[in-house]
Amino acid sequence: MRFLPSQEFRMGKKQILIITYYWPPAGGPGVQRWLKFVKYLPEFGLEPIVYCPENPNYPIVDESLVNEIPDSITILKHHIKEPYSLAGWLSKGRSKKISSGVIPQAKKQTLVEKAMLYIRGNYFIPDARKNWVSPSVEFLSNYIKEHEIKTIITTGPPHSLHLIGLRLKAILDVKWLADFRDPWTTIGYHKDLKLTEVSKAKHLELEHNVLNSADEIIVTSNHTKNEFRTKTKQPISVITNGYDSHTISVEKKDELFTLSHIGSLLSERNPVVLWETISELIRENESFSEAFKLQLIGVVSDDVIESIYKNGLKDHVDVIGYVNHEKAIKFQMTSQLLLLIEIDSEDTKAIIPGKVFEYLISETPILAIGPKDADVEQIIKSTNTGVYFNYNQKVELKAQILSYFEAFQNNSLNVNAIGLQPYSRKALTEKLANLIKHC
């Protein structure tokens, strides 16, 4: 299916083909990166053409994002065979959780879950969308030649989309930019996929081919850039995710001392040190106990819920579940504190969750816990939007939460953010546009 732009729009603009799996009505931060780029690229003399699946199996859906698709762009859609559809028929709940990234701890996995992870890891390399590669290459090669397109962009994960770019680059005279929203072989969940040595080697081979064939590589963090720099001599640029302006407003902040996490809390993204610290504050401080509420907005692992309850916080937690983008922003703005959690691992230092940038403009302090020297730590510190802790800083963490609570009691809990403009979607799109024009 294709929506054609007006002739006026097409005149004088360089066409670029963007190959993506996630596109509205898909929900989550992954879809917003290129939705926003597409929104602003025409302002910099570029005409984006989006290619995405016709019948995708999205684990998270947000219909409100459909309204943000510019009317003037061309959208190409092509059928995809989704193995998750079959897996969902066999085990709907487990399949949906795994496809959304919520992988149970190994010791708690059922036989069905273990089998699904093994099959996913070793029979679908690099991922479950691999069977979309060949049909897409055939469809797009004809379209690219017919419309004389000279620039293509692939964005992953799923990293199988980079294989589409790899093959198109081999058969056509095009410039190819490969956008990595996450790393490939060093991403944390690879350890959970029960990969054989042969499968690991295949991933590394495909990663090598992509990194050394793309004309330009785009990454979202300096850690990923440094990692890829050891694997290729091709040019690498960092273009982070960002925030977009909006007109959403709220009347006032919550009356309770709400600490809110927006987004997925996976099994390993479970800050026991935080639950223990909050539990201590509740026992020691009656005022804190009466005012505190933990809000979890998004997909939450059963392991995380179990850990929270184990620390006596059942009466203080509200598990809200997934909400659309507009409601998520309202939660950010009405909360007293925003919680940012990353797994305590070397592999996650490169991960900068997309929600971070909306957190920055929410006028709500950020309480962050993650590995030492992560990219997100530098962003929070440089913008003066919150405090970042490592997992071994329990004493400091407890003191900071208490300090925030005292400011809340005195009606003086606020943020004085600085240096946010470089993270605006429009500024980031200008950086991308310049990269495309000079590639």
Side-chain angles (χ1 to χ4, degrees):
M1 180 166 57
R2 185 171 74 198
F3 302 96
L4 293 175
S6 67
Q7 188 66 27
E8 282 179 79
F9 178 73
R10 298 175 66 95
M11 291 179 62
K13 295 184 184 291
K14 177 180 179 180
Q15 291 182 309
I16 55 170
L17 176 65
I18 298 162
I19 302 169
T20 180
Y21 177 80
Y22 292 104
W23 189 251
V31 66
Q32 292 173 43
R33 176 173 174 84
W34 282 94
L35 176 62
K36 302 299 183 179
F37 282 149
V38 165
K39 173 182 176 181
Y40 290 114
L41 278 171
E43 296 186 27
F44 301 101
L46 297 170
E47 178 190 339
I49 299 168
V50 175
Y51 173 73
C52 58
E54 186 175 47
N55 56 318
N57 183 26
Y58 294 139
I60 298 174
V61 172
D62 185 348
E63 294 287 350
S64 69
L65 294 178
V66 174
N67 299 325
E68 296 193 36
I69 301 175
D71 294 332
S72 56
I73 69 163
T74 299
I75 301 177
L76 308 173
K77 295 187 177 184
H78 196 60
H79 184 81
I80 183 173
K81 292 182 180 179
E82 288 274 24
Y84 279 125
S85 298
L86 175 60
W89 178 75
L90 294 171
S91 180
K92 185 174 182 180
R94 294 186 181 99
S95 172
K96 187 171 183 179
K97 280 192 173 183
I98 289 174
S99 65
S100 64
V102 180
I103 299 176
Q105 293 178 352
K107 62 183 179 181
K108 295 184 178 180
Q109 290 170 10
T110 66
L111 288 176
V112 171
E113 287 168 337
K114 289 178 180 178
M116 288 172 65
L117 287 169
Y118 182 84
I119 293 170
R120 156 64 181 90
N122 297 285
Y123 289 88
F124 294 95
I125 298 174
D127 51 62
R129 278 83 195 194
K130 59 173 287 189
N131 291 329
W132 199 45
V133 175
S134 292
S136 295
V137 171
E138 181 179 357
F139 175 80
L140 290 174
S141 59
N142 293 327
Y143 186 89
I144 290 169
K145 285 185 285 188
E146 180 184 347
H147 293 81
E148 300 181 345
I149 294 170
K150 298 299 182 182
T151 303
I152 63 172
I153 300 175
T154 56
T155 178
H159 295 309
S160 56
L161 271 68
H162 294 313
L163 303 186
I164 299 174
L166 182 68
R167 288 173 58 175
L168 289 173
K169 175 69 177 177
I171 62 177
L172 298 172
D173 180 22
V174 292
K175 293 292 186 180
W176 169 33
L177 292 82
D179 174 59
F180 287 82
R181 302 191 310 277
D182 286 326
W184 187 331
T185 56
T186 58
I187 193 71
Y189 63 75
H190 257 222
K191 298 173 183 177
D192 299 317
L193 293 179
K194 308 181 188 303
L195 298 176
T196 65
E197 291 304 314
V198 173
S199 296
K200 291 177 184 177
K202 184 62 176 177
H203 273 286
L204 289 169
E205 178 188 358
L206 293 174
E207 179 188 52
H208 172 84
N209 292 343
V210 168
L211 291 178
N212 288 280
S213 299
D215 295 286
E216 182 79 39
I217 298 159
I218 304 170
V219 296
T220 57
S221 73
N222 286 313
H223 269 89
T224 304
K225 179 178 180 177
N226 293 336
E227 177 200 336
F228 284 177
R229 179 57 60 220
T230 67
K231 299 178 178 182
T232 182
K233 293 183 180 180
Q234 297 298 92
I236 305 173
S237 297
V238 177
I239 302 181
T240 66
N241 289 309
Y243 66 84
D244 204 5
S245 57
H246 61 77
T247 57
I248 299 171
S249 61
V250 295
E251 292 185 5
K252 60 180 180 178
K253 291 280 190 181
D254 294 332
E255 293 183 1
L256 292 176
F257 184 56
T258 46
L259 172 63
S260 298
H261 181 276
I262 290 96
S264 300
L265 272 180
L266 313 182
S267 296
E268 292 184 344
R269 194 176 289 153
N270 183 15
V272 176
V273 63
L274 176 62
W275 314 144
E276 291 175 348
T277 299
I278 294 172
S279 182
E280 288 178 10
L281 287 168
I282 287 172
R283 293 195 306 270
E284 297 166 0
N285 189 317
E286 184 176 350
S287 297
F288 185 91
S289 178
E290 292 175 352
F292 178 77
K293 181 170 71 170
L294 174 65
Q295 292 187 145
L296 305 179
I297 299 102
V299 179
V300 183
S301 163
D302 292 340
D303 298 319
V304 174
I305 297 296
E306 181 181 322
S307 182
I308 291 171
Y309 288 179
K310 185 178 179 180
N311 282 279
L313 303 180
K314 185 174 183 178
D315 293 337
H316 296 270
V317 65
D318 189 0
V319 183
I320 294 168
Y322 183 80
V323 300
N324 66 32
H325 188 222
E326 181 176 334
K327 288 182 180 178
I329 291 175
K330 287 184 177 180
F331 273 114
Q332 292 169 14
M333 297 173 70
T334 56
S335 298
Q336 296 292 345
L337 283 179
L338 292 173
L339 180 59
L340 182 66
I341 300 295
E342 195 43 82
I343 299 168
D344 189 18
S345 165
E346 187 71 25
D347 296 340
T348 60
K349 291 182 178 182
I351 304 300
I352 306 176
K355 62 174 170 276
V356 168
F357 302 96
E358 289 183 342
Y359 274 20
L360 299 183
I361 62 167
S362 66
E363 299 184 350
T364 306
I366 301 170
L367 181 70
I369 303 174
K372 187 177 181 181
D373 299 325
D375 284 82
V376 71
E377 178 178 5
Q378 178 58 33
I379 290 174
I380 291 173
K381 288 182 176 179
S382 65
T383 56
N384 194 44
T385 49
V387 185
Y388 186 98
F389 294 96
N390 307 138
Y391 278 76
N392 61 356
Q393 294 182 288
K394 184 176 181 179
V395 174
E396 296 86 347
L397 177 63
K398 185 175 181 179
Q400 183 62 58
I401 295 174
L402 189 57
S403 176
Y404 277 143
F405 178 62
E406 290 171 351
F408 161 76
Q409 289 180 305
N410 297 327
N411 201 30
S412 61
L413 184 57
N414 52 42
V415 175
N416 296 306
I418 58 174
L420 299 184
Q421 198 278 333
Y423 299 113
S424 73
R425 295 285 189 182
K426 191 170 183 177
L428 293 164
T429 306
E430 182 177 14
K431 186 176 181 179
L432 172 65
N434 290 332
L435 192 65
I436 292 170
K437 291 173 182 178
H438 293 95
C439 180

